[in-house]
């Protein structure tokens, strides 16, 4: 049996390994040292405020707006249907630029704030850049 | 049915349900979202370091580096510098290949009887393929998850995300690594079940991590593509954890707590399980030793310090007596005339 179980062999290597491990494991904490990361504050345009309600309930739109947009896109582009009726019976033109960005014309203070926080960069804006209100800004 | 995997499967399902019921029915968000993750992380760090120290204290009695090529020998033999490394740089190179591309697994062959009694070695890369798919996608998933723990999100993480979603399928865009992770986990599980020899040697400790990681992947995929949850609130929770300002945001579905609970179990289980090969690979004498056995003597640290009495010392001690009785000595006492005088004086 090892006579002296206390002895650390290859001391330099093991300590270096422990330091590297601890550093990597602590990295998420170190990066955020002394920072608070509050959720983004969203700005609603006066037009949106007037409407009060989004296309769907807030709970739904928060979670599933990307899936709604996907559905809209497919319905318009594949089936050439442009009218969406929400559960409340209200009709909307299924359009990213003309509907979503009509109410939420402040894309940088609305969509982008959330997306930057959650690190999503929708590729939609590669093409859908025809929002005149946003362009004027 | 096989008890080893049934028990593991049931264990993971029970864990899944514990978190789900705990949050959905008992509203223990604080427990599952704050206390358990912190505790699990502490156990992970402490356990990992404990293991490293434990292995660091274990002596290596023999040089047992495995070799896969020609050892350094006479100058006209070409040595395999990476497969049979005699230098520190060679060992680092071999270790890097081992960790990054699983080189030794790539050498895997199958040995079986073919056409009656003909024995043959066969090319067998499936294990390597599943293993590399599993580990790399796991790494990518973990690195991508840094988006929940940094604000602003680091640029390399964003780059990784855009590469991972390269095909832009669906909305939210499909991350390939998550799907590959789940598929590879399943393949590694299927391998253990369908190959009889593998099934024979597979234990609960082999199945449990697979199911656990599969459960984490399934709950993550559910959360991203199906049972949508509010990612902004999720990030409030995760950022709370890493800035030591723990909060529980409203509106986060139980599935998130299931995900993070299974991750906590994984973290706490990690240092004490086979998963610890993450740290263990660096301590493997078969990998981290140089194959310089012909050039240097490896001293076994177990060796008791043996008290030796060399012949030279023995002769020094007994020279006079040996000369007296006429035994041959290697070194004659120096001036033969003076000695008798000294003896007389005494
Ligand atoms: C405390 C640590 C973790 C947290 C807070 C967390 C949180 C999350 C969240 C919120 C999602 C949904 C992503 C979205 O909707 O865009 C997700 C997805 C996912 N998670 Fe985790 N997770 C953690 C650790 C892990 C680990 C260790 C694994 C690896 C097994 C993992 C595997 C996945 C997978 C495969 C997905 C599916 C989507 C994707 O590929 O990104 N998670 N996780």
């Amino acid at each position: 049996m090892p006579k002296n179980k206390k002895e650390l062999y290859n001391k330099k290597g093991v300590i270096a390994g422990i330091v590297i491990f601890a550093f990597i494991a602590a990295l998420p904490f170190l990066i955020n040292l002394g920072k608070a990361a509050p959720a983004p504050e969203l700005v609603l345009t006066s037009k949106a405020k007037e409407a009060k309600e989004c296309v769907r309930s807030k709970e739904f739109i928060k979670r599933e707006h990307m899936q709604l947009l996907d559905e809209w896109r497919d319905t318009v582009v594949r089936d050439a249907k442009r009218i969406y009726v929400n559960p409340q019976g209200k009709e909307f033109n299924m359009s990213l630029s003309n509907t979503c960005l009509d109410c939420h014309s402040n894309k940088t203070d609305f969509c982008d704030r959330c997306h930057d926080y959650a690190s999503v960069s929708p590729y939609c804006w590669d093409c859908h850049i025809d929002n005149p209100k946003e362009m004027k800004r | 049915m096989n008890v080893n995997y049934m028990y593991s499967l049931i264990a993971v399902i029970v864990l899944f349900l514990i978190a789900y019921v705990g949050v959905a029915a008992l509203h223990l968000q604080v427990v599952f979202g704050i206390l358990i993750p912190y505790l699990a992380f502490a156990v992970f760090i402490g356990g990992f370091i404990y293991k490293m120290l434990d292995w660091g204290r274990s002596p290596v009695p023999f040089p047992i580096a495995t070799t896969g090529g020609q050892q350094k020998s006479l100058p006209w033999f070409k040595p395999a510098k990476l497969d049979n490394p005699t230098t520190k740089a060679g060992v680092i190179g071999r270790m890097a290949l081992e960790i990054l591309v699983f080189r030794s697994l790539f050498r895997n062959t199958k040995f079986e009887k073919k056409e009656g009694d003909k024995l043959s070695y066969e090319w067998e890369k499936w294990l390597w393929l599943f293993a590399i798919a599993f580990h790399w996608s796991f790494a990518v998933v973990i690195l991508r998850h840094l988006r929940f723990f940094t604000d602003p999100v680091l640029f390399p993480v964003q780059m990784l995300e855009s590469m991972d979603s390269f095909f832009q399928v669906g909305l939210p865009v499909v991350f390939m690594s998550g799907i590959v992770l789940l598929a590879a986990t399943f393949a590694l599980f299927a391998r253990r079940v369908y190959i009889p020899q593998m099934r024979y040697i597979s234990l609960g400790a082999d199945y449990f991590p697979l199911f656990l990681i599969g459960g984490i992947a399934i709950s993550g995929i559910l959360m991203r593509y199906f049972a949508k949850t509010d990612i902004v609130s999720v990030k409030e929770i995760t950022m709370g954890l890493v800035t030591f300002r723990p909060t529980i945001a409203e509106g986060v579905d139980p599935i998130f707590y299931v995900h993070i609970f299974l991750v906590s179990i994984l973290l706490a289980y990690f240092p004490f399980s086979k998963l610890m090969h993450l740290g263990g690979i660096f301590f493997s004498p078969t990998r981290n030793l140089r194959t310089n056995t012909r050039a240097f003597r490896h001293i076994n640290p177990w060796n008791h310090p043996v008290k030796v009495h060399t012949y030279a010392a023995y002769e020094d001690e007994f020279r006079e007596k040996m000369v007296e009785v006429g035994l041959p000595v290697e070194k004659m006492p120096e001036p033969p005339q003076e000695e008798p005088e000294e003896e007389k004086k005494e």
Side-chain angles (χ1 to χ4, degrees):
Chain A
M1 271 310 287
K3 231 185 88 180
N4 179 6
K5 181 75 184 161
K6 291 275 137 55
E7 187 184 345
L8 194 56
Y9 300 97
N10 185 12
K11 210 171 264 163
K12 257 195 275 172
V14 177
I15 301 285
I18 290 175
V19 169
I20 291 171
F21 165 74
F23 178 74
I24 292 175
L27 213 53
F29 297 95
L30 294 178
I31 292 174
N32 291 301
L33 218 57
K35 272 195 227 164
E41 270 180 44
L42 303 176
V43 181
L44 282 180
T45 59
S46 49
K47 179 152 190 190
K49 274 185 192 139
E50 212 174 285
K52 285 208 183 76
E53 270 274 286
C54 194
V55 175
R56 296 286 296 267
S57 73
K58 186 172 172 179
E59 286 311 300
F60 179 92
I61 202 81
K62 237 178 162 172
R63 290 156 202 239
E64 304 195 28
H65 61 274
M66 42 323 248
Q67 284 170 337
L68 182 72
L69 280 170
D70 202 19
E71 194 188 313
W72 282 19
R73 177 173 62 177
D74 288 355
T75 323
V76 171
V77 178
R78 295 183 188 164
D79 307 338
K81 289 192 190 121
R82 286 183 184 269
I83 301 300
Y84 176 79
V85 185
N86 76 2
Q88 285 82 41
K90 226 170 140 193
E91 291 189 352
F92 290 92
N93 174 19
M94 284 192 261
S95 170
L96 178 55
S97 314
N98 300 335
T99 306
C100 303
L101 293 193
D102 184 34
C103 277
H104 303 298
S105 55
N106 54 344
K107 176 171 162 288
T108 37
D109 289 336
F110 190 76
C111 312
D112 292 355
R113 279 208 183 162
C114 253
H115 292 166
D116 287 347
Y117 185 67
S119 177
V120 273
S121 42
Y123 58 89
C124 322
W125 318 120
D126 294 356
C127 302
H128 292 269
I129 48 170
D130 55 340
N131 174 26
K133 291 167 201 122
E134 182 67 19
M135 300 285 267
K136 250 189 270 156
R137 215 185 45 95
Chain B
M1 283 298 119
N2 174 319
V3 285
N4 288 325
Y5 68 75
M6 281 317 289
Y7 283 159
S8 305
L9 182 59
I10 291 169
V12 173
I13 292 174
V14 167
L15 290 172
F16 201 105
L17 291 177
I18 288 177
Y20 199 94
V21 172
V23 170
L26 307 175
H27 304 292
L28 295 173
Q29 271 90 341
V30 175
V31 174
F32 288 99
I34 295 174
L35 296 181
I36 294 179
Y38 271 139
L39 204 66
F41 193 72
V43 171
F44 175 70
I45 301 285
F48 209 104
I49 292 176
Y50 167 80
K51 272 283 180 196
M52 288 207 275
L53 285 173
D54 192 39
W55 282 331
R57 290 195 188 110
S58 306
V60 177
F62 310 112
I64 54 169
T66 49
T67 65
Q70 172 63 48
Q71 185 174 16
K72 186 161 183 266
S73 175
L74 297 166
W76 57 87
F77 289 117
K78 192 167 170 260
K81 287 200 177 102
L82 284 171
D83 287 327
N84 203 331
T86 44
T87 60
K88 206 168 200 172
V91 168
I92 292 171
R94 177 234 275 255
M95 197 64 114
L97 282 178
E98 190 67 35
I99 289 166
L100 298 177
V101 297
F102 301 174
R103 186 171 167 79
S104 66
L105 209 53
F106 195 69
R107 275 198 279 265
N108 189 28
T109 50
K110 194 161 71 181
F111 179 56
E112 64 178 4
K113 276 189 190 169
K114 276 251 166 129
E115 301 164 20
D117 278 348
K118 223 163 133 190
L119 290 171
S120 69
Y121 285 97
E122 208 180 300
W123 187 91
E124 218 283 273
K125 301 278 182 257
W126 292 111
L127 176 58
W128 176 83
L129 185 70
F130 296 151
I132 205 110
F134 175 84
H135 284 83
W136 274 103
S137 56
F138 198 110
V140 170
V141 168
I142 302 268
L143 288 176
R144 266 203 294 99
H145 271 64
L146 280 179
R147 79 176 160 120
F148 297 118
F149 299 102
T150 53
D151 185 51
V153 177
L154 307 173
F155 178 69
V157 174
Q158 288 178 326
M159 234 169 61
L160 198 61
E161 280 178 344
S162 62
M163 285 194 290
D164 206 347
S165 60
F166 180 77
F167 292 111
Q168 302 186 330
V169 180
L171 281 185
V173 285
V174 170
F175 283 136
M176 286 177 268
S177 55
I179 312 295
V180 173
L181 175 64
L182 186 61
T185 310
F186 183 77
L188 289 171
F189 165 67
R191 166 179 168 270
R192 287 193 180 275
V193 177
Y194 283 112
I195 303 176
Q197 300 95 306
M198 288 306 304
R199 189 166 59 227
Y200 187 67
I201 61 166
S202 296
L203 301 172
D206 299 304
Y207 290 118
F208 182 67
L210 284 176
F211 286 127
L212 192 59
I213 292 167
I216 294 171
I218 287 173
S219 55
I221 285 170
L222 267 179
M223 181 162 44
R224 181 171 172 82
Y225 308 105
F226 304 103
K228 303 292 301 171
T229 189
D230 179 1
I231 296 301
V232 172
S233 307
V234 164
K235 187 157 178 179
E236 277 180 65
I237 298 178
T238 52
M239 288 306 291
L241 289 176
V242 287
T243 53
F244 297 108
R245 292 181 181 80
T247 49
I248 288 299
E250 290 300 312
V252 177
D253 295 336
I255 186 77
F256 168 73
Y257 293 95
V258 170
H259 191 65
I260 196 170
F261 180 60
L262 292 181
V263 171
S264 305
I265 299 290
L266 181 73
L267 283 176
Y269 174 69
F270 198 100
F272 312 103
S273 71
K274 297 189 176 191
L275 297 170
M276 195 51 204
H277 67 273
L278 167 61
I281 180 84
F282 297 99
F283 290 87
S284 299
T286 57
R287 294 296 118 101
N288 67 14
L289 291 178
R290 277 169 274 188
T291 58
N292 52 7
T293 46
R294 297 196 209 168
F296 295 97
R297 180 165 171 233
H298 180 96
I299 309 272
N300 181 355
W302 287 4
N303 281 348
H304 281 288
V306 176
K307 228 179 133 194
V308 290
H309 195 202
T310 60
Y311 178 72
Y314 169 89
E315 201 184 278
D316 283 346
E317 197 177 339
F318 295 109
R319 184 166 294 113
E320 284 82 26
K321 295 195 173 69
M322 290 169 77
V323 173
E324 248 170 54
V325 298
L327 282 174
V329 287
E330 282 182 351
K331 213 166 84 186
M332 281 306 273
E334 277 170 16
Q337 299 101 344
E338 278 170 39
E339 262 199 8
E341 281 171 29
E342 273 174 37
E343 272 174 62
K344 276 175 202 161
K345 275 176 201 163
E346 274 173 14

